[in-house]
Amino acid sequence: MTGVFSLLPDGRPGLLAPLLSGAWLSGGGEDGARYLAAGGYAPLTSPGRLLDRIAAVGLRGRGGAGFPAAVKIQAVRDAPGPPVVVANGEEGEPGSVKDRWLLRHRPHLVLDGIRLVAAMTGAERGCVYLSDAPAEQAVRQALAECPPTPRIDVVRTEHTYVAGEETAVVRRIDGGPALPTAKPPRPFESGVGGAPTLVANVETLARIALIHSRPEAADAVAGSHLVTLSGGSGASALAEVPAGTHLKVLADLCRHGRAEAVLLGGLFGGLHGPGWTDLPLDHDRLRAAGGALGCGALHFLHPEDCPVAVANEATAYLAAQSARQCGVCVAGTGAMARTLTDVARGRSDDDSAGKLHRWSRQLPGRGACGLLDAAARVVATLLAHFPEHVEAHRRSRCAACETATPEDGRRFTVPVP
């Protein structure tokens, strides 16, 4: 990891700002006394006014779906009974590091966000859900420095792709396995212990805390994103950037200017080839282009990287990470992964592309979580943007595909800075 960067204009508050200014303890984490002195944990005199502000600036969740944060908070607020607020810090996407970084380095900002959402919803319990040991240590230290109201528990889980799905989060906190459940009910209706539960990504909560402490900059705070940048031939980085920043700017930031394609949203947003440099970091415009911002992880493909190999590794990894609860997911991800492996190894038949195309259209929306959708999108975008590569693998051997290591996700894994 080469470092942590901010492309925010000077003076704009951000989640990375204290690190970049050197305002940390020697251990690298956020100090409770320093956070209090900077305006953290400020009293909330009007929870309704803060909720209105979050709605007005259009803050979206940062966990992947980009759902409006105020709508989610309001749904829990309106539900009967005292709710629970969960900070979801379990990053299933191997290419994302932002949530673990926040919990390791800015735990007070996340805990402050839980406090504020608890006040807005009337929650009597909070929870931090994670799988990362250094993050757990940082959160527990922060809780000891500034004992919060309401009570906040820490729940550790095993790291898997599906462990951060909101129903899996609820299931694990309640003592079960971190596996998705059928919906409805959704957690805002019946979650932890049967109570209405807000499962919020830790970056979302951190931005709510920053909106509260810096209301004059609320629009800028809501319009910034933490993104994880990586690629086989360049460096990796965690960056904070304004919405609308073109992907080419982000590629250049960490020496991926030679890239010819990008895998968006971790493994959820699909592959994009010619024209990707003109795509902006924007939920709606990426969706219109057939992609998704997801958790904000971008993996750049250089000229020596084969899109078929990347797609093969992505689908094989997703198939291996399936919760194995939904027959359609087990069969669908397995079939796509096996067929793509045949394509990558030069063993495809005349109908391989046709089968992949049918599955990519028929399978989305049929699983209990988004894993099957992610695999189908990877396949669909490979066929849409790189049909000549798929066809070429029928005629000649591909060195990049022969050395690929499907299933382990190593290509996409990024270390936390």
Side-chain angles (χ1 to χ4, degrees), residues 322-338:
S322 170
R324 312 201 76 76
Q325 297 185 133
C326 304
V328 68
C329 178
V330 175
T333 57
M336 288 188 287
R338 287 190 298 272

mmCIF file of all heavy atoms in Angstrom, residues 322-338:
data_model
loop_
_atom_site.group_PDB
_atom_site.id
_atom_site.type_symbol
_atom_site.label_atom_id
_atom_site.label_comp_id
_atom_site.label_asym_id
_atom_site.label_seq_id
_atom_site.Cartn_x
_atom_site.Cartn_y
_atom_site.Cartn_z
ATOM 1 N N SER A 322 -19.858 -18.623 -1.710
ATOM 2 C CA SER A 322 -21.305 -18.788 -1.567
ATOM 3 C C SER A 322 -21.653 -19.351 -0.192
ATOM 4 O O SER A 322 -20.959 -20.235 0.322
ATOM 5 C CB SER A 322 -21.843 -19.728 -2.651
ATOM 6 O OG SER A 322 -23.189 -20.077 -2.395
ATOM 7 N N ALA A 323 -22.729 -18.835 0.398
ATOM 8 C CA ALA A 323 -23.182 -19.343 1.691
ATOM 9 C C ALA A 323 -23.718 -20.761 1.583
ATOM 10 O O ALA A 323 -23.920 -21.431 2.598
ATOM 11 C CB ALA A 323 -24.268 -18.419 2.255
ATOM 12 N N ARG A 324 -23.979 -21.212 0.363
ATOM 13 C CA ARG A 324 -24.455 -22.574 0.087
ATOM 14 C C ARG A 324 -25.803 -22.851 0.759
ATOM 15 O O ARG A 324 -26.088 -23.964 1.186
ATOM 16 C CB ARG A 324 -23.398 -23.613 0.487
ATOM 17 C CG ARG A 324 -21.995 -23.291 -0.026
ATOM 18 C CD ARG A 324 -21.100 -24.495 -0.074
ATOM 19 N NE ARG A 324 -21.428 -25.351 -1.202
ATOM 20 C CZ ARG A 324 -21.099 -25.105 -2.474
ATOM 21 N NH1 ARG A 324 -20.457 -23.996 -2.805
ATOM 22 N NH2 ARG A 324 -21.438 -25.952 -3.416
ATOM 23 N N GLN A 325 -26.619 -21.804 0.852
ATOM 24 C CA GLN A 325 -27.968 -21.939 1.390
ATOM 25 C C GLN A 325 -29.026 -21.927 0.299
ATOM 26 O O GLN A 325 -30.107 -22.468 0.492
ATOM 27 C CB GLN A 325 -28.275 -20.793 2.368
ATOM 28 C CG GLN A 325 -27.407 -20.755 3.594
ATOM 29 C CD GLN A 325 -27.837 -19.672 4.568
ATOM 30 O OE1 GLN A 325 -27.953 -19.894 5.749
ATOM 31 N NE2 GLN A 325 -28.067 -18.486 4.054
ATOM 32 N N CYS A 326 -28.713 -21.267 -0.820
ATOM 33 C CA CYS A 326 -29.669 -21.135 -1.921
ATOM 34 C C CYS A 326 -29.202 -22.031 -3.074
ATOM 35 O O CYS A 326 -28.099 -21.833 -3.607
ATOM 36 C CB CYS A 326 -29.757 -19.693 -2.414
ATOM 37 S SG CYS A 326 -30.180 -18.495 -1.138
ATOM 38 N N GLY A 327 -30.039 -22.973 -3.466
ATOM 39 C CA GLY A 327 -29.665 -23.862 -4.552
ATOM 40 C C GLY A 327 -29.350 -23.126 -5.830
ATOM 41 O O GLY A 327 -28.406 -23.479 -6.557
ATOM 42 N N VAL A 328 -30.116 -22.074 -6.122
ATOM 43 C CA VAL A 328 -29.891 -21.328 -7.352
ATOM 44 C C VAL A 328 -28.533 -20.644 -7.342
ATOM 45 O O VAL A 328 -27.877 -20.520 -8.383
ATOM 46 C CB VAL A 328 -31.038 -20.320 -7.594
ATOM 47 C CG1 VAL A 328 -31.019 -19.211 -6.546
ATOM 48 C CG2 VAL A 328 -30.951 -19.722 -8.990
ATOM 49 N N CYS A 329 -28.082 -20.208 -6.168
ATOM 50 C CA CYS A 329 -26.774 -19.554 -6.072
ATOM 51 C C CYS A 329 -25.659 -20.567 -6.231
ATOM 52 O O CYS A 329 -24.701 -20.351 -6.977
ATOM 53 C CB CYS A 329 -26.646 -18.822 -4.745
ATOM 54 S SG CYS A 329 -25.040 -18.016 -4.500
ATOM 55 N N VAL A 330 -25.775 -21.690 -5.529
ATOM 56 C CA VAL A 330 -24.745 -22.723 -5.629
ATOM 57 C C VAL A 330 -24.613 -23.201 -7.068
ATOM 58 O O VAL A 330 -23.506 -23.280 -7.625
ATOM 59 C CB VAL A 330 -25.076 -23.909 -4.703
ATOM 60 C CG1 VAL A 330 -24.065 -25.036 -4.903
ATOM 61 C CG2 VAL A 330 -25.087 -23.464 -3.241
ATOM 62 N N ALA A 331 -25.758 -23.504 -7.691
ATOM 63 C CA ALA A 331 -25.728 -23.998 -9.071
ATOM 64 C C ALA A 331 -25.302 -22.905 -10.045
ATOM 65 O O ALA A 331 -24.503 -23.150 -10.959
ATOM 66 C CB ALA A 331 -27.098 -24.540 -9.461
ATOM 67 N N GLY A 332 -25.843 -21.678 -9.856
ATOM 68 C CA GLY A 332 -25.578 -20.596 -10.800
ATOM 69 C C GLY A 332 -24.152 -20.105 -10.768
ATOM 70 O O GLY A 332 -23.497 -19.987 -11.823
ATOM 71 N N THR A 333 -23.627 -19.817 -9.570
ATOM 72 C CA THR A 333 -22.240 -19.355 -9.498
ATOM 73 C C THR A 333 -21.287 -20.457 -9.933
ATOM 74 O O THR A 333 -20.284 -20.201 -10.611
ATOM 75 C CB THR A 333 -21.881 -18.892 -8.072
ATOM 76 O OG1 THR A 333 -22.122 -19.963 -7.148
ATOM 77 C CG2 THR A 333 -22.685 -17.674 -7.673
ATOM 78 N N GLY A 334 -21.597 -21.699 -9.556
ATOM 79 C CA GLY A 334 -20.737 -22.803 -9.959
ATOM 80 C C GLY A 334 -20.695 -22.990 -11.465
ATOM 81 O O GLY A 334 -19.624 -23.190 -12.054
ATOM 82 N N ALA A 335 -21.852 -22.914 -12.114
ATOM 83 C CA ALA A 335 -21.907 -23.092 -13.566
ATOM 84 C C ALA A 335 -21.159 -21.971 -14.282
ATOM 85 O O ALA A 335 -20.405 -22.221 -15.237
ATOM 86 C CB ALA A 335 -23.357 -23.144 -14.033
ATOM 87 N N MET A 336 -21.362 -20.730 -13.841
ATOM 88 C CA MET A 336 -20.658 -19.614 -14.484
ATOM 89 C C MET A 336 -19.164 -19.721 -14.273
ATOM 90 O O MET A 336 -18.366 -19.485 -15.205
ATOM 91 C CB MET A 336 -21.198 -18.283 -13.941
ATOM 92 C CG MET A 336 -22.596 -17.949 -14.435
ATOM 93 S SD MET A 336 -23.160 -16.280 -13.989
ATOM 94 C CE MET A 336 -23.457 -16.480 -12.229
ATOM 95 N N ALA A 337 -18.740 -20.090 -13.055
ATOM 96 C CA ALA A 337 -17.308 -20.206 -12.780
ATOM 97 C C ALA A 337 -16.677 -21.322 -13.613
ATOM 98 O O ALA A 337 -15.599 -21.142 -14.196
ATOM 99 C CB ALA A 337 -17.088 -20.451 -11.294
ATOM 100 N N ARG A 338 -17.328 -22.465 -13.670
ATOM 101 C CA ARG A 338 -16.761 -23.588 -14.443
ATOM 102 C C ARG A 338 -16.682 -23.265 -15.927
ATOM 103 O O ARG A 338 -15.688 -23.579 -16.599
ATOM 104 C CB ARG A 338 -17.605 -24.843 -14.222
ATOM 105 C CG ARG A 338 -17.450 -25.477 -12.847
ATOM 106 C CD ARG A 338 -18.114 -26.838 -12.797
ATOM 107 N NE ARG A 338 -19.549 -26.762 -13.028
ATOM 108 C CZ ARG A 338 -20.448 -26.556 -12.060
ATOM 109 N NH1 ARG A 338 -20.061 -26.386 -10.811
ATOM 110 N NH2 ARG A 338 -21.747 -26.535 -12.346
#
